[in-house]
Amino acid sequence: MQAHDLLQGWIAYTSDRSGTFDIWLYRPQDSFSFQLTQGLGAAFSVPYWSPDSRRIAFTGIGNVVYLLDIGTLAVSRIDQIEPYTLLDWSPDSRFLAYVKNGQIVIYDTFSHRSYAIPMAGASDVQWFPSGTELLFAAPDTNGNTQLFRIRIDGADRRQITQNTDGPLHDVRLSPDGAFALYTFPGASISIISTVDLTNGTIRTLEGGPLAKNYFPIWSPDSLSIAYSATAYKEPNYYSLVQIDNRIGQKQRTLAVSDCFAAPVSWSPDGGKIAYLSGCAGIEQASQIWIVDIREPKPVKVLSGGRITALQWSPRVRRVSFIH
């Protein structure tokens, strides 16, 4: 296959449409879909794109972290971690950061060497755009989850929040490194808040009607947040695909999914959102839909098998793809 223009990006998704869970690619421009892995995925696998869109990291079968080269389809195994652990690429697409056994691990995907920063209870570690600092969540001395920042050499740890509202989940750093979002306090009630990392100001988004807001994700320009808001109409739960700005003043509903909660992902230009639907009363989705935020008319683009996760690639100019 010749080189393809990826200005609109690809959508990587996790599906068992071939019989086992694997990572697949879908190209919105022409509806081309392609299976990337063979028997390596799991229902909990989430594909994490490198910033240059050349590789995908995911945790798959056996709880193994795999690196997948999009151009050659070569796969390497790098570690074994807990399912659902966030994997985050450094801005230069070289290093992965994640948490394992009470440590922050920095893994060099070029040299295949790693080092660890001891950090009991840490979660959701992510790179600041500078590439020299990390954001993460961890309990303070009173056991309350706080956000911290630390240099990648383990020095200069600073506490950002003064949270007393219980556990923080789904911590996500904005692409510009100026804000973070998180959900609290748990799964049955899940509220989204943002924190301005320069001054610590916290704002809470209105969210959906049942205070069950899941899968929050920043827009590429760091100004908006998309998420899934669970709603109920006799006899079924469903979810609203919503967006809001980072200070919670411009909530809009763009689409409806028939799933209790629907993972969402922004297009590289921030103009569209892909989301999962097709649950039809069962737990897992079977469809990918795309909605344009400027003209919300949702379109079903893919159907078949169970689909558990999706992530739209960052914008890149061109990448070779060998098949």
Side-chain angles (χ1 to χ4, degrees), residues 111-323:
S111 70
H112 294 285
R113 296 175 179 172
S114 66
Y115 66 92
I117 303 170
M119 199 63 62
S123 64
D124 291 340
V125 59
Q126 289 149 85
W127 296 85
F128 277 93
S130 65
T132 60
E133 279 189 297
L134 301 168
L135 176 80
F136 65 95
D140 62 16
T141 53
N142 296 318
N144 293 315
T145 308
Q146 308 294 349
L147 300 187
F148 296 87
R149 61 193 303 164
I150 194 170
R151 292 184 53 84
I152 59 173
D153 61 4
D156 195 21
R157 186 180 86 153
R158 286 168 285 160
Q159 183 174 327
I160 298 169
T161 55
Q162 300 294 331
N163 169 53
T164 56
D165 291 329
L168 306 182
H169 308 281
D170 304 306
V171 176
R172 296 295 184 268
L173 181 63
S174 62
D176 64 5
F179 280 72
L181 66 78
Y182 56 81
T183 64
F184 72 97
S188 57
I189 297 296
S190 180
I191 300 167
I192 301 169
S193 286
T194 65
V195 54
D196 185 329
L197 299 181
T198 58
N199 57 29
T201 301
I202 293 174
R203 296 179 173 89
T204 299
L205 275 57
E206 178 184 352
L210 302 181
K212 297 178 185 293
N213 306 293
Y214 306 111
F215 304 111
I217 185 170
W218 287 100
S219 60
D221 65 6
S222 302
L223 298 179
S224 301
I225 296 162
Y227 58 93
S228 166
T230 303
Y232 182 78
K233 184 176 182 180
E234 186 71 34
N236 297 316
Y237 285 99
Y238 60 98
S239 55
L240 308 171
V241 178
Q242 296 188 322
I243 59 173
D244 202 342
N245 68 7
R246 62 188 184 185
I247 57 175
Q249 295 179 342
K250 291 187 177 180
Q251 178 179 288
R252 294 171 57 204
T253 298
L254 302 178
V256 175
S257 166
D258 66 359
C259 299
F260 179 85
V264 296
S265 187
W266 292 86
S267 63
D269 64 1
K272 297 177 181 179
I273 291 172
Y275 63 95
L276 298 187
S277 190
C279 284
I282 59 176
E283 189 171 329
Q284 288 168 323
S286 61
Q287 302 167 355
I288 295 177
W289 290 64
I290 293 177
V291 60
D292 191 313
I293 67 171
R294 295 151 293 203
E295 187 180 0
K297 295 179 179 178
V299 177
K300 181 173 65 175
V301 298
L302 190 142
S303 182
R306 290 178 292 173
I307 305 173
T308 57
L310 80 169
Q311 193 176 89
W312 215 317
S313 67
R315 183 201 304 269
V316 296
R317 289 187 299 275
R318 211 169 260 284
V319 67
S320 296
F321 186 66
I322 299 171
H323 177 204

Side-chain angles (χ1 to χ4, degrees), residues 66-140:
Y66 294 94
L67 292 181
L68 170 67
D69 186 296
I70 300 300
T72 64
L73 302 187
V75 177
S76 56
R77 303 157 55 106
I78 69 168
D79 206 344
Q80 195 170 27
I81 62 174
E82 290 296 315
Y84 302 108
T85 300
L86 179 66
L87 305 172
D88 195 60
W89 288 90
S90 61
D92 63 2
S93 298
R94 175 168 178 168
F95 298 91
L96 273 179
Y98 52 90
V99 170
K100 177 180 179 179
N101 297 336
Q103 297 182 315
I104 294 173
V105 178
I106 310 295
Y107 187 94
D108 186 336
T109 66
F110 292 178
S111 70
H112 294 285
R113 296 175 179 172
S114 66
Y115 66 92
I117 303 170
M119 199 63 62
S123 64
D124 291 340
V125 59
Q126 289 149 85
W127 296 85
F128 277 93
S130 65
T132 60
E133 279 189 297
L134 301 168
L135 176 80
F136 65 95
D140 62 16

